[in-house]
Every structure is written in structure tokens, then in C-alpha cells.
Amino acid sequence: MAWTNYQLALALGMVVTGSINTLATKWADLQDAPGCATGDHPQSHPFSHPFLQAVGMFIGEFSCLIAFKVLWFSKKVRGRSTDDMGNQNFSPFLLFIPAMCDMTGTSLMYVGLTLTYASSFQMLRGAVIVFTALLSVAFLQRVITSKMWSGIVCVIIGLVLVGLSDILFPDESGTESYSKNELITGDLIIIIAQIVAATQMVVEEKFVSGRDINPLQAVGWEGFFGMTTLGTLLIPMYFIITGHNNGVPTRLEDSIDGLCQLGNNWRVALGTFGSVASIAFFNFFGISVTKELSATTRMVLDSIRTVVIWAVSLALRWQSFQYLQVIGFVILIFGTAVYNNIFRIPCIEKKVHPINSSDYGGDYDEESQPILGETEADMEKDN
């Protein structure tokens, strides 16, 4: 069946806003700007504030809750039914633990992004499938079939190749230049973050799924908890000294310096606020694609987003072309498709539902087969 113009717009919107989220964040990381005139960093220096950026991402997610409430109240005022907007009789604190997982995973990913390439960051997020499958066996009593194991093995091979491309062929000619230690550390941090993201998915499946909570509302509440909690933690982070650079103390997160840099360089501000806005629209487009098309389509579009991020990174000379990374990405996508039953293996017909994480009430493709993917916030929750 041919897509309508509205469906095409949703698909394009998801790819564009999802790509902007990662690219805008990385663009801000590559900028230099003066800090506060009376602070520790009055001179121009790199913008490196992953925890402050994570708060901005949660602000973007929180805007989804505001949008949901506006729609809900507008229906109430006009006397229309709100039955199609999900269950309203639940405690928001039900989403607190997933939000803390989201906060931890996103913060780690943003730290990792400062140490590696944007394309590697996006590709390595595919590791979430491996950890989610394993945790779902332990805590949700899922059964991993031979076909699913074959998909997981392909994903692992793809991840190894992507990581090796960074380590064996570090790019010293592009705008981004990292040492091998930085690349290894950044890639490992991103992988570790996927364990936290997988934990979030399993917790949501265990305690949130089936309660008919509107995805936009759930993402918004997680954004609220992440925004308030991490925003509060920025205060003690300021007083934690992690070392000295040319006699200037470096802090775990100098949010004051980060805010000054936002005001002193329009590129930093544009990249940061562009990331905040894109995450809000990306969640809307992602949810709409799932409802209008399918979760399978959403997963395919998310793969296209990775290709776009990689292509833009090459075009902007942030990195050079590495064939090993391409091979790893292709194998990674193939493994994801096999796991999610997009590619069928004729000799294995038994179907087992993998964990669903795209929607708290259950996303289904055309054959009512739940699709494993990222949460609305992480897709990049972008993180």
C-alpha cells in the first residue's frame, strides 16, 4: 500500500529530527567559546558539558508532557472524549525508576560522545539489543530462539567491527581528532550506557507495559524526573574537582561555565537548543510513525537516521571514510532485522515475542510481533 503524503511527512520528520539531535549535540561539542569573565575559564576553550547537555535533552522530553496536557485539556474544554489519550489513573512515580535509568544512560552516552565520532556513537547504540535480550531472559522469563541468537551474534560482530575501525584506523585528518585511548574509552562508555538503557527497557516492560499510558505522556514524565534530578545534581557536581588544566581546576560538571559559553558563542547555543527542540519533535514523529505505519517501519527509519549521521559526518570532514565501519554497520543492521523477524530464516519458524520497548502499551508490526527497539526518549534520547 502506498504511503500518504502525511505518512511520508512523518517518516521524513523522524529521520531529519533524529539526525539533527545527534549532529547538533556533536557540533556543540566541537566549538570553542569563552567562559564566564570572572570564573575559572575566562578564555576560549572547548565546550565539554555532557551533563548539562543531558539536562537539555530531558527538557526536550518534558516538553512532550506539556504538549500532551495541552491536547488533553483542549479536548476537555471542547467536550470531546479523551478515551483515546490513554489511562490517566496512574502514579507518575511509576516512571521514576525508568527515568533514573534514562538519566544515567543518557549522561554516560553524552560523555562517550565527547570522546568518539558521532557515527560510531549512533552505531554502537545498537548494543542495546544484546543486553535487553539477556536481561529479558533473566527477569522476564523470555526464551531466546536460535533465530534470535543468530541475530544477536550478528549484532555483536557488527559492534566489534565498528569499534575496531575506530581503534585500528584513528582519523587524524578530520575536524575530530582523538587518541586511541580516547576512542576506546568513549566507545566502552557508550556500550556500558546500553546496559543501563536495556535495564530501563526491562523495567518498563515489567512494571509499565499494559497500563495503557500514552507514550507521549510517559516520555514527558520521564523527562520531568530526569530534568529535575540531574538538574539538582549539577550543584554538587560543580564542587567536585577532577583535576587541573594549566593551573585551572576542572570540575565534574561546571554548568556555570557551560551557560556562559552558551551566551558567548551562537554556534554553541544553536547546537544545544537545536538538540533540545529536535528531541521533542523526534518523539512526536516516532510515536506517530508507529501508530500510522508500524514499529518495523520505525526501526528501518532509525537505521536510515544512522546512515544520515554518518554521511553528514563525512561531508563535514568530521571523520574520514572507513570501509570496516561500513561493513560493521551493515552486519549490525542485518542482525537487528533478523532478531526482530524482519528477515525470515525458513528453517526456524518458532516465534517468540522479544521485549517491546517502543511503546508502553505495545507496538506491533503487521503480524502483531512486538519489535525490539529504543524507548521514545533514548531514540535518541539521543539519548
Side-chain angles (χ1 to χ4, degrees):
M1 181 178 68
W3 287 5
T4 66
N5 290 334
Y6 176 66
Q7 291 171 334
L8 287 172
L10 290 176
L12 180 61
M14 178 182 166
V15 172
V16 171
T17 55
S19 301
I20 288 175
N21 181 252
T22 298
L23 293 170
T25 302
K26 189 62 184 179
W27 189 51
D29 291 341
L30 296 174
Q31 305 303 316
D32 288 348
C36 299
T38 58
D40 295 328
H41 305 281
Q43 302 301 320
S44 182
H45 56 280
F47 182 80
S48 180
H49 300 280
F51 297 102
L52 184 63
Q53 288 175 308
V55 172
M57 189 214 72
F58 286 119
I59 293 174
E61 290 186 13
F62 175 62
S63 67
C64 293
L65 180 61
I66 297 176
F68 174 84
K69 290 297 183 181
V70 170
L71 292 173
W72 189 81
F73 280 113
S74 66
K75 282 194 172 186
K76 293 289 288 186
V77 169
R78 290 181 290 177
R80 296 185 178 181
S81 173
T82 58
D83 293 342
D84 61 338
M85 301 194 71
N87 174 31
Q88 300 300 305
N89 297 319
F90 69 94
S91 172
F93 287 97
L94 184 69
L95 298 162
F96 181 77
I97 294 179
M100 294 302 97
C101 293
D102 190 6
M103 180 190 75
T104 304
T106 299
S107 299
L108 287 173
M109 283 191 284
Y110 276 15
V111 171
L113 183 58
T114 64
L115 300 172
T116 191
Y117 307 110
S119 59
S120 298
F121 165 84
Q122 193 66 33
M123 294 179 190
L124 291 174
R125 292 181 65 183
V128 71
I129 287 180
V130 178
F131 299 118
T132 305
L134 297 177
L135 290 176
S136 66
V137 170
F139 298 102
L140 299 176
Q141 289 73 53
R142 303 285 183 183
V143 177
I144 300 181
T145 64
S146 298
K147 178 178 180 179
M148 294 166 68
W149 273 119
S150 64
I152 290 173
V153 170
C154 288
V155 169
I156 293 175
I157 293 174
L159 292 171
V160 170
L161 291 178
V162 170
L164 285 176
S165 70
D166 290 342
I167 298 170
L168 298 178
F169 307 105
D171 184 12
E172 299 179 354
S173 60
T175 305
E176 298 183 68
S177 181
Y178 305 103
S179 66
K180 286 188 177 181
N181 286 339
E182 287 177 324
L183 290 170
I184 293 173
T185 302
D187 289 352
L188 286 177
I189 289 175
I190 294 170
I191 294 293
I192 293 172
Q194 303 319 302
I195 301 177
V196 182
T199 302
Q200 176 189 351
M201 295 179 183
V202 172
V203 170
E204 289 172 344
E205 176 76 5
K206 183 76 172 180
F207 301 106
V208 181
S209 180
R211 295 178 181 268
D212 191 30
I213 302 175
N214 187 287
L216 204 62
Q217 187 178 18
V219 169
W221 276 115
E222 288 189 8
F224 171 78
F225 290 126
M227 173 185 67
T228 54
T229 303
L230 187 56
T232 302
L233 290 176
L234 290 180
I235 299 174
M237 285 181 181
Y238 178 83
F239 296 99
I240 299 176
I241 306 298
T242 58
H244 289 78
N245 184 15
N246 296 325
V248 177
T250 56
R251 307 175 188 275
L252 182 58
E253 179 57 276
D254 192 342
S255 54
I256 297 176
D257 174 67
L259 293 174
C260 289
Q261 287 186 290
L262 285 174
N264 291 332
N265 187 325
W266 67 268
R267 294 181 179 85
V268 175
L270 180 61
T272 302
F273 291 116
S275 177
V276 172
S278 65
I279 191 65
F281 284 104
F282 177 70
N283 278 291
F284 166 76
F285 285 123
I287 293 170
S288 299
V289 165
T290 299
K291 290 182 176 179
E292 289 286 330
L293 297 167
S294 70
T296 303
T297 303
R298 180 171 179 170
M299 194 205 76
V300 172
L301 292 175
D302 199 52
S303 300
I304 295 175
R305 175 169 67 118
T306 304
V307 174
V308 171
I309 292 171
W310 176 68
V312 172
S313 297
L314 292 176
L316 296 177
R317 302 181 64 83
W318 288 356
Q319 65 183 98
S320 59
F321 178 83
Q322 294 295 344
Y323 70 91
L324 192 60
Q325 188 178 53
V326 179
I327 296 173
F329 174 65
V330 171
I331 296 176
L332 176 65
I333 294 302
F334 176 78
T336 303
V338 169
Y339 183 91
N340 286 317
N341 205 36
I342 294 176
F343 291 154
R344 297 184 182 278
I345 300 179
C347 62
I348 303 176
E349 294 297 334
K350 184 178 180 181
K351 299 178 182 179
V352 176
H353 296 304
I355 183 175
N356 172 16
S357 59
S358 297
D359 189 345
Y360 302 94
D363 282 341
Y364 298 87
D365 64 6
E366 296 83 355
E367 298 179 343
S368 298
Q369 184 79 314
I371 298 299
L372 173 63
E374 299 169 279
T375 62
E376 307 292 352
D378 291 329
M379 292 189 65
E380 60 8 352
K381 335 288 178 320
D382 260 309
N383 283 318

